[in-house]
């Protein structure tokens, strides 16, 4: 495994165009399985997780090719419905192809993804939903098997607004004639993007972005061209890195409405944020942060995104005062507190709640990226302090950030890959 070496203490300054969203691209790539003709996707970020989804689609029989920045997926050759175990192990989001496979071929087999560093992450809500659509579930040597001669539309009430389960069920429902209703659905912007994609293919999707989604499916969906939405988590990461280094950044292709909870809090702390032309956002960090205690908890959209929590914690180390973060989406997603402590951060944390004593100096250290966003938090902390911070396991970070080091260098940071 490689590392990032960061020599901090420099302000970030410049202009950056936000890439397409990983978490929108992955389900949309999976939804291409539903089409009867090729799909072309624009704005798909070139990331490790996207490479794994390409491998998943190819293993099922699809032809997938990049042509410059356009990704074309031809799903006509898909006849295979067992998702290879090693790909499930590489990326949990491989589960997204289950709904489309079940709807298209009547079968899908997937190993249950194991626990990961941020929690158990079961798929019971996905399975329950497929059962409500008429699938039979059995356990086999290859994994959990779902079979359905013919799926039927139904009303499904989710016990929790799971993003992945909502997406998986929307995809399956789009190929079922009749109206399926998903209640207590997730409301993330990536759900709305997927809905738009499914609508272009021929389904009718109403209510995406609310807890009550109705999908009028079709027996045949056709291939289309679609551009994925900008990555709100990438945008948030760069905004927080700028705020943490006293910098000045202009982001292009940034939808600020997708960052509820973040911009308001940063403004309260004295960060200036100006939105021009809809998708151009300018951020100035103040000379000095006021002492304002911050209290936040993560939650399903429009709550504060769990995927921004680690980076926000690193930023809070800059803000004088005692702050509290409560992680309510995943049961074990504060591991970065321990790594930040190696850099001198004063943080007291259990599995769900962290107390952060901000405004005290950090020092460089050798730390490890435990998960993608935890790794991004360490990069931010490294940018904040003098000396050479070494972040081990950079590949974990590269699962979700395209050319992070190159983009930070373009903004004046001293960071390199080793
Ligand atoms: C997606 C995002 C991930 C983000 C998360 C929450 C993608 C590829 N990933 O993950 O970056 O952190 O949303 O915003 O889009 N749960 C169950 N049973 C299930 C499904 C989920 O108990 O069947 C639990 C999970 O363990 C977790 C919570 O529900 O505690 C939220 O998970 P979910 O919304 O499903 O997240 P993902 O779709 O896996």
């Amino acid at each position: 495994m490689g590392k990032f070496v960061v020599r901090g203490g420099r302000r970030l300054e410049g202009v950056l165009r936000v890439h397409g969203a990983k978490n929108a691209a992955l389900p949309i790539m999976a939804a291409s399985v539903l089409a009867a003709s090729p799909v072309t996707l624009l704005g798909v970020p070139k990331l490790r997780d996207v490479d794994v989804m390409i491998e998943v689609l190819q293993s099922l029989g699809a032809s997938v090719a990049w042509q410059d920045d356009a990704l074309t997926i031809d799903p006509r050759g898909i006849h295979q419905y067992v998702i290879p175990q090693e790909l499930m192990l590489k990326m949990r989001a491989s589960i997204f192809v289950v709904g489309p496979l079940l709807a298209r071929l009547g079968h899908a087999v997937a190993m249950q993804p194991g626990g990961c560093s941020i929690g158990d992450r079961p798929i019971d809500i996905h399975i329950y939903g497929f059962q409500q659509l008429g699938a039979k579930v059995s356990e086999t040597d290859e994994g959990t098997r779902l079979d359905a001669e013919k799926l039927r539309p139904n009303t499904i009430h989710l016990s929790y607004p799971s993003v992945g389960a909502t997406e998986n069920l929307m995809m399956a429902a789009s190929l079922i004639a009749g109206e399926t209703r998903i209640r207590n659905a997730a409301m993330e912007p990536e759900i709305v993007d997927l809905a738009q994609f499914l609508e272009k293919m021929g389904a009718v999707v109403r209510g995406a972005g609310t807890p009550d989604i109705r999908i009028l499916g079709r027996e045949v969906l056709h291939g289309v061209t679609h551009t994925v939405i900008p990555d709100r988590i990438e945008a948030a990461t760069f905004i927080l890195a700028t705020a943490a280094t006293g910098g000045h950044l202009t982001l292009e292709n940034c939808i600020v409405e997708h960052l509820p909870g973040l911009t308001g809090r940063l403004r309260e702390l004295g960060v200036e944020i100006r939105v021009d032309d809809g998708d151009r956002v300018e951020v100035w960090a103040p000379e000095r942060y006021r002492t304002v205690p911050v209290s936040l908890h993560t939650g399903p959209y429009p709550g504060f995104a769990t995927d921004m929590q680690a980076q926000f914690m690193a930023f809070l180390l800059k803000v004088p005062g005692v702050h509290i973060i409560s992680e309510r989406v995943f049961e074990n997603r504060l591991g970065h507190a321990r790594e930040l402590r190696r850099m001198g951060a004063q943080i007291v944390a259990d599995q769900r709640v962290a107390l952060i004593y901000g405004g005290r100096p950090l020092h460089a250290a050798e730390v490890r990226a435990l998960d993608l966003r935890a790794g991004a938090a360490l990069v931010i902390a490294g940018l904040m302090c003098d000396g050479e911070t070494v972040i081990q396991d950079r590949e974990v970070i590269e699962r979700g950030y395209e050319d992070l080091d190159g983009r930070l260098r373009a903004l004046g940071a001293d960071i390199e890959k080793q």
Side-chain angles (χ1 to χ4, degrees), residues 83-313:
I83 306 165
Q85 293 200 357
E86 71 274 12
L87 297 178
M88 275 302 302
L89 284 173
K90 267 197 205 167
M91 184 182 66
R92 184 190 151 80
S94 311
I95 195 75
F96 287 141
V97 293
V98 167
L101 284 175
L102 185 63
R104 178 174 155 166
L105 301 177
H107 313 281
V109 181
M111 195 188 76
Q112 295 253 1
C116 67
S117 61
I118 62 174
D120 265 353
R121 305 187 80 179
I123 54 164
D124 54 317
I125 305 174
H126 301 239
I127 302 284
Y128 167 79
F130 294 134
Q131 285 173 315
Q132 298 306 299
L133 297 176
K136 297 270 172 289
V137 181
S138 54
E139 289 305 324
T140 69
D141 289 346
E142 289 172 312
T144 303
R145 183 181 172 107
L146 294 142
D147 297 284
E149 249 170 52
K150 194 166 166 50
L151 292 173
R152 51 164 200 269
N154 201 353
T155 294
I156 307 163
H157 191 106
L158 305 185
S159 57
Y160 181 89
S162 153
V163 177
T166 302
E167 292 169 339
N168 232 333
L169 296 169
M170 286 167 71
M171 294 189 273
S174 295
L175 208 58
I176 306 173
E179 187 180 270
T180 292
R181 190 166 173 192
I182 307 173
R183 309 202 62 179
N184 197 28
M187 300 191 279
E188 271 69 3
E190 293 76 19
I191 303 271
V192 178
D193 201 25
L194 175 64
Q196 285 175 356
F197 178 71
L198 295 170
E199 284 226 310
K200 282 187 194 168
M201 291 208 298
V204 178
V205 185
R206 295 284 177 261
T210 79
D212 190 355
I213 304 179
R214 293 162 188 261
I215 301 125
L216 187 59
R218 293 271 183 270
E219 274 170 9
V220 178
L221 296 172
H222 50 85
V224 294
T225 297
H226 183 78
T227 305
V228 299
I229 55 170
D231 195 319
R232 62 195 168 103
I233 309 300
E234 187 192 45
T237 303
F238 279 99
I239 290 173
L240 288 166
T242 303
T245 59
H248 173 205
L249 174 71
T250 301
L251 284 174
E252 294 171 347
N253 195 35
C254 175
I255 304 178
V256 82
E257 293 77 15
H258 289 175
L259 300 169
L262 180 70
T263 47
R265 277 196 175 80
L266 289 177
R267 282 186 173 122
E268 274 171 29
L269 294 171
V271 178
E272 201 178 323
I273 299 175
R274 193 189 297 157
V275 184
D276 290 328
D277 295 338
D279 73 346
R280 208 177 140 88
V281 177
E282 207 169 345
V283 180
W284 289 266
E287 292 268 310
R288 184 165 296 143
Y289 282 96
R290 302 181 209 128
T291 304
V292 183
V294 175
S295 164
L296 73 82
H297 62 265
T298 63
Y301 194 84
F304 193 93
T306 173
D307 286 352
M308 297 179 206
Q309 177 261 106
Q311 305 91 308
F312 197 78
M313 185 187 290

Side-chain angles (χ1 to χ4, degrees), residues 289-338:
Y289 282 96
R290 302 181 209 128
T291 304
V292 183
V294 175
S295 164
L296 73 82
H297 62 265
T298 63
Y301 194 84
F304 193 93
T306 173
D307 286 352
M308 297 179 206
Q309 177 261 106
Q311 305 91 308
F312 197 78
M313 185 187 290
F315 155 73
L316 278 182
L317 293 167
K318 180 91 181 175
V319 181
V322 183
H323 315 294
I324 185 161
I325 291 183
S326 167
E327 170 57 51
R328 300 205 186 152
V329 177
F330 291 104
E331 67 266 30
N332 190 15
R333 203 177 193 179
L334 291 172
H336 42 279
R338 195 185 64 223

